[in-house]
Amino acid sequence: MSSTAFSICVYCGSKPGANPLFTAAAVAVGNWIAYHGGQLVYGGGSGGLMGTVADATLAAGGRVVGIIPKALVEKEWAHHGCTELHVVENMHERKRMMAEHADAFVALPGGLGTLEELFEVWTWRQLGYHDKPIGLLNTAGYYDGLLAFLAQAMQRGFLGETQLGLVRADPEPAKLLGELVQAGGLSQARRLDQI
Ligand code: AMP
């Protein structure tokens, strides 16, 4: 880890989504990470919520590590303002590097890529491949349908309460991020009292 207090890996949409609250949430997440002396790790794109969370972190003085496969540099408009931009060979390398750099993971609203990344770190946690905390930012109830489906999967015997409990869901960015950082036993030292 660098000199930052903690690294949070953010998964989110490469599109902005249809509700301005999604953008507001991405800004709040970027601000929170920067104000608490943390580092953002993300997919390195400049569009959609991905670009928004990176821009907000940078504007608030935080470090941003972007990790993007070379085939997506143009397609997802790699963000050349990142503190560190890693152009990697493929998607597997991207995901491995993002996970290695992170102390905690959080999924904001997003599409298939976001869901895939969320479920990958969730299943890795279930299998004991890592023990890093995972959060789901349920902005404007975006993930209500998913959470209802997962509750149904539990009722129907495919999912245990413990597995479901490995991810904490909350609509409030500051509350969720604070809990993740605390769960990871990470330092929120810098500027915490100024928020
Ligand atoms: P989306 O949520 O679909 O807008 O995608 C968000 C991010 O997830 C983008 O940076 C995509 O490149 C990335 N992504 C798409 N497919 C995958 C995948 N199979 N594994 C990991 N990330 C992906």
Side-chain angles (χ1 to χ4, degrees), residues 117-162:
E117 291 167 317
L118 167 71
F119 278 102
E120 184 170 72
V121 287
W122 198 339
T123 51
W124 283 356
R125 174 88 198 251
Q126 165 184 283
L127 295 169
Y129 290 177
H130 72 88
D131 62 355
K132 299 173 184 180
I134 308 168
L136 189 60
L137 188 65
N138 192 15
T139 307
Y142 179 71
Y143 282 116
D144 283 353
L146 178 68
L147 293 168
F149 173 77
L150 293 171
Q152 177 186 276
M154 196 172 80
Q155 281 158 12
R156 300 202 181 168
F158 285 108
L159 194 58
E161 210 169 323
T162 313

Side-chain angles (χ1 to χ4, degrees), residues 30-93:
N31 283 340
W32 194 96
I33 292 171
Y35 287 145
H36 293 82
Q39 166 173 278
L40 169 72
V41 177
Y42 87 117
S46 61
L49 296 189
M50 294 174 69
T52 301
V53 71
D55 287 340
T57 308
L58 290 165
R63 289 192 101 251
V64 173
V65 178
I67 303 167
I68 192 163
K70 62 182 179 193
L72 294 182
V73 164
E74 284 180 22
K75 205 171 162 207
E76 293 193 350
W77 305 303
H79 195 315
H80 294 285
C82 290
T83 321
E84 286 176 33
L85 180 69
H86 299 268
V87 178
V88 297
E89 278 306 307
N90 53 45
M91 191 62 88
H92 291 296
E93 204 183 328

